Amino acid sequence: MQHSILFANSDRLRPPAGHYSHTCTAAGLVFVSGQLPVDVNGTPMTDQPFERQAGQVLANVDACLEAAGTDRSRLVQVRIYVTDMNSWPAFNQIYADWIGDVRPARVVAGVASLHFRSLLEIEAVALAPA
């Protein structure tokens, strides 16, 4: 049995600057590429406080999920990379407010640095639309 692979980019985000898509759908799953705190115009928000960066990253994840025809209620795994684990409690609250009652599997990893000197990056996997 052959499975198709669909690539999608959100019209609510700047097109990818590299050789990738915002999302790739395959085998019933939507894979969301790592999202950084970059606004709709493609401007990195690295001069903004952690909380603003986190809100932008989550909005970008929402835009990607929407482009693939799904939403955060269908998330099965979320991976969060932060450059300062001291920011984790603040992020955990922002994330809890954003995700609500949904409880996907989750990874939190402290990393030395991220592109644009961002404070966090998120990638995710969700169920594709039925």
Side-chain angles (χ1 to χ4, degrees), residues 45-67:
M45 299 175 60
T46 51
D47 61 337
Q48 299 295 314
F50 180 84
E51 292 77 8
R52 294 268 327 268
Q53 289 191 37
Q56 183 65 52
V57 171
L58 293 170
N60 292 353
V61 169
D62 276 336
C64 291
L65 292 169
E66 180 182 291

Side-chain angles (χ1 to χ4, degrees), residues 54-128:
Q56 183 65 52
V57 171
L58 293 170
N60 292 353
V61 169
D62 276 336
C64 291
L65 292 169
E66 180 182 291
T70 192
D71 61 48
R72 70 179 90 141
S73 72
R74 297 177 59 81
L75 285 167
V76 294
Q77 185 176 45
V78 179
R79 293 180 198 99
I80 302 117
Y81 306 97
V82 294
T83 58
D84 182 355
M85 289 302 287
N86 290 321
S87 299
W88 180 247
F91 180 79
N92 197 46
Q93 185 58 58
I94 294 165
Y95 177 84
D97 293 342
W98 175 78
I99 200 74
D101 293 332
V102 179
R103 296 288 189 266
R106 184 172 77 177
V107 173
V108 179
V111 296
S113 65
L114 293 165
H115 195 50
F116 303 125
R117 293 188 306 265
S118 300
L119 300 178
L120 75 159
E121 181 171 0
I122 297 176
E123 63 176 315
V125 180
L127 294 174

